[in-house]
Amino acid sequence: MSGVKRNVLNGKQKLEILQKLDNGESSASTDAEDVLNEGNTISHPAALQTVETLLEYMGQRGFDYRNITAVCKICADIRQEMNKQQKQRRITDFLKQ
């Protein structure tokens, strides 16, 4: 079980969508959704590292406590997903023996 798949935009796709937003084109959000449904994935550890870096940045820059709390919740959610994956692997490994 590979866990929950998360989709991402590459740099070129982000730029194209931002340009459409700057030009006031309403199709930009639909374009983003279409690209995100193409199947690019990020691992849980990579996502956790990125969110933890964001959390450090927010702390250094004095972001609002509510926003920092929301990012902390995201970290907790990612760790929970990682733990579920690990437990599933242990069960699968046990059953293979």
Side-chain angles (χ1 to χ4, degrees):
M1 181 175 198
S2 63
V4 177
K5 292 189 177 193
R6 300 286 184 217
N7 299 319
V8 296
L9 300 170
N10 67 36
K12 181 181 176 190
Q13 292 164 330
K14 288 177 189 174
L15 182 60
E16 289 171 357
I17 289 167
L18 287 173
Q19 286 171 340
K20 285 183 178 185
L21 285 171
D22 286 344
N23 293 333
E25 294 181 38
S26 61
S27 66
S29 62
T30 304
D31 291 349
E33 213 173 291
D34 290 344
V35 170
L36 291 175
N37 289 326
E38 288 178 3
N40 300 321
T41 61
I42 297 175
S43 69
H44 287 106
L48 183 60
Q49 181 179 358
T50 301
V51 175
E52 287 175 340
T53 301
L54 174 62
L55 193 57
E56 283 182 39
Y57 173 83
M58 292 174 75
Q60 292 173 358
R61 300 290 188 236
F63 275 68
D64 183 78
Y65 178 76
R66 290 175 300 187
N67 293 330
I68 291 174
T69 302
V71 174
C72 286
K73 171 78 170 96
I74 293 169
C75 286
D77 291 347
I78 294 170
R79 285 190 190 101
Q80 186 176 18
E81 286 299 318
M82 290 171 67
N83 287 336
K84 285 181 191 176
Q85 260 187 333
Q86 188 175 21
K87 286 178 185 176
Q88 184 64 43
R89 275 195 300 271
R90 286 183 193 149
I91 291 168
T92 304
D93 291 346
F94 176 78
L95 295 174
K96 285 181 183 178
Q97 293 178 353

